[in-house]
Structure formats: structure tokens, C-alpha cells
Amino acid sequence: MRNWTLNRYFLRMYVVSFLSTLLTVFALIYLIDLIEVSRRGRFEDLGFSAAALFSMLRVPSFIGQAFPFIILFSSIYTLLTLNRRLELVVARASGVSIWQILLPFVVGSVLIGMVATFVYNPLTAYTRTLAEDLQATLARGGDLASSDRVPWLRQEGDGVQSILGAKTVARSGTVLGDVTAFVMNDEGIVKERIDASRAVLSDRFWTLEAPRVTRVGYRPEFPAEYKLPTSLRPEYVEQRIADPEAISIWQLGTKIDVAASLGFNTDAFRMQYHTLVAQPALFIAMTLLAATVATRFSRTGQSGRTIAGGVLAGFVLYVVTFLAKALGSNDVVPPVMAAWFPVLAAGLSGVTILLHQEDG
């Protein structure tokens, strides 16, 4: 009964610390992104509310990338607070081991990781799709593209050959944003260029809305729309242009199968899938790393050094995870190995250090 009460107390403190840190990071990222969106002026004709909505839809994606650090800092803060109140000292003196103390933190990390993977990730994918759709529909000018690299698609329809590029994709490959198309003549030479903020895929043609049509030797034209023939299917477009991080974990399995059937390299999608599956274990590893620097009794003046040690550990793990993800997405190492190696390395390192601190 005593341990159950203590575990509930530690778990409650950890969850409250996590939620407080999450709200703080959310507000900070939202403010920074809103300032950046306003500075670039892409929604200035639509007013502040459009820019605020656009930033609000983008922030969940950024928060998802910051989750491991939120877990790390929440764990460090909670353990330091318990240390300053001497509650950890009292618990250890009463015969509670470090593993019993960390049990509610590990349970909390697993629960948060499950929610982040299977609930928050689909929400993030949905809001990111809405943001890209809003950007493609309402944005005018500026540069808020989701990617600096423009994927190009060669297509043909009704005897018309063209090359189509876009920076954003939404609605399962049927809506493109920041579109540029080059239409070829029979000799394969570009005869006109079309730029549009949005393109919608219908049956056998793209509808480019409010485009700028440029032909050699003529002034630019601005028709209401431009219909570009195509034989591309939405599945093909999405696999070529979509960012794997913008796809829900519930849809990644299907997208991997579709990409394989179309002959595409599926490593980027598989890497994202295994990264999401490994996320609860990554949160546990972050908690163990936090425990290595925050469970020892420390005086007030030593808190800064403890926090610095935790930040350094988190930064090293972030670099390793980033490199592993790059290697796994580019077919250098198997995606499952790239996703789980940083998690296992961090977790085993944390356990080893804690065993050394506990037993000497």
C-alpha cells in the first residue's frame, strides 16, 4: 500500500510536469512560428487571423519532433524537485530502491509514448494536411513551402507532354501547392510555363487555379484556370511528393504497400513507421538518461550542472537519432535497425550508469 501511494504521487508529479512543459513549449513554438509567418507576409492580405490559424495548424508537427526533449526535461525537473524537497532521500532511506522510484516514471513514459504514437501522431498528420491545404488555397507570394526541394513529375495526357513540380501535397495526392509546370512541344522543347499556388487533380487532368502562363515571345497571361492533361494517379503523386512525417501511423502500412507496388523505394516510409513504433521505448530511454543526472542528492548550487548534463545527453541522443534516421531513409542500413539502435543504446547506457550509481 505504501509503495502504491508513493508510485501514484510520483506519477502524478511527472504527468503534471510533462503537461506544464508541453504547454510552455507549445506557446513558445507558436509565438515564434507566428512571428515568422507574419514576417514573411504570405497571409498579409487575409489578416492576422489567417496567419494565426496557419501557425496553429503547423505547431503540432513541431511539438511531435520535440516530444523526446519534453520527456527529458520533465523527468529532470520532477526528479530535481523531489531531490530538493528531500523526498527522494527519505524514500531511499526507507528502503525504496532506485528502480522502484523510477517505476512510475517509466510507466508514465510508456503511457505518454502510446498516446503520442497512436493518438497524437494521427492528429498531427491531420493538422499538417490542413495547413498544407490552407497554404495552397489562401497563400499569396512569400516562401513558406514545406520543402526547399521540389519533386518533379513527368507526365503525359491527350498527347501533351509536361513536367510538373510542387512543394506541398494534400488530400492523398489530389491537391498540390506551389505548383510549377512546363509544357513541351512535339520536339520535347519547353513551349510554356505555368505557375500556380494550387492544383487539383480531376479525371485525366490537373486544374491549375489562377495561374500565370508564360510563353516565349509573349507577355504573361493570367487566366482563371488552366487544365493540364495527365495520366497520373493520386497514389503515384502522393508517393513521389508526400513527406512520410505527414502520414498517420495508421496509414503508413498501406502507403508502404502502395509504394512497393508502384516500384518506389519504401525505406523512408518504413523508417518513419519504425520510428513511431519505437517512440514509447525512446521516451523510456530519455527518462533513464534523466535519472542518471537527477537522482543523486544535489545541493542547490549543483542544479545547473545537473541540467547541463541532461541537456548534453539529450543533444547527443538527438544527433545519433537524426543520423540513424538519415541512414535508414536512404537505404544505408535497414530502417528497423536505424530506428531501434539509438533507443537501445540510450536505454542500455542509462541502465548501466544507474546500476553503477546504485551498486558501485
Side-chain angles (χ1 to χ4, degrees), residues 296-310:
R296 280 187 170 185
F297 175 72
S298 60
R299 297 176 178 84
T300 305
Q302 297 175 320
S303 298
R305 187 168 54 188
T306 300
I307 295 175

Side-chain angles (χ1 to χ4, degrees), residues 47-249:
F48 176 79
S49 59
L53 176 61
F54 182 68
S55 292
M56 180 66 71
L57 293 174
R58 279 158 51 100
V59 168
S61 179
F62 300 142
I63 292 293
Q65 300 175 20
F67 260 139
F69 294 98
I70 296 176
I71 291 291
L72 178 68
F73 294 137
S74 301
S75 301
I76 291 177
Y77 175 78
T78 306
L79 291 171
L80 282 179
T81 301
L82 293 173
N83 246 332
R84 288 178 180 176
R85 296 176 180 174
L86 301 180
E87 291 173 310
L88 285 187
V89 176
V90 173
R92 297 296 298 275
S94 63
V96 180
S97 70
I98 187 64
W99 310 111
Q100 291 174 306
I101 291 174
L102 292 180
L103 178 61
F105 291 87
V106 171
V107 171
S109 296
V110 171
L111 294 177
I112 294 172
M114 298 290 286
V115 172
T117 299
F118 298 107
V119 179
Y120 186 83
N121 172 258
L123 175 65
T124 299
Y126 178 70
T127 58
R128 184 165 176 168
T129 299
L130 292 179
E132 291 176 347
D133 195 26
L134 179 66
Q135 176 182 340
T137 304
L138 302 179
R140 296 292 184 270
D143 180 17
L144 283 173
S146 62
S147 174
D148 295 330
R149 178 181 62 84
V150 182
W152 295 98
L153 306 174
R154 182 175 291 274
Q155 60 184 358
E156 181 177 359
D158 294 338
V160 178
Q161 296 185 9
S162 60
I163 299 176
L164 181 70
K167 292 185 177 180
T168 61
V169 59
R171 297 185 184 177
S172 300
T174 60
V175 176
L176 303 180
D178 291 329
V179 181
T180 300
F182 296 95
V183 180
M184 313 294 185
N185 59 21
D186 295 336
E187 288 76 29
I189 300 175
V190 176
K191 67 176 184 179
E192 61 184 13
R193 168 176 173 161
I194 306 101
D195 297 281
S197 61
R198 174 184 165 98
V200 180
L201 180 61
S202 302
D203 185 22
R204 301 183 65 84
F205 61 84
W206 290 98
T207 300
L208 283 73
E209 302 175 356
R212 172 192 173 105
V213 181
T214 307
R215 297 183 177 90
V216 178
Y218 296 89
R219 292 191 173 204
E221 299 177 1
F222 299 90
E225 63 180 24
Y226 186 104
K227 294 188 180 299
L228 183 64
T230 183
S231 59
L232 299 180
R233 305 304 302 165
E235 296 83 3
Y236 179 87
V237 176
E238 186 177 36
Q239 294 299 326
R240 285 294 303 274
I241 299 179
D243 183 354
E245 295 184 1
I247 301 176
S248 164
I249 187 174

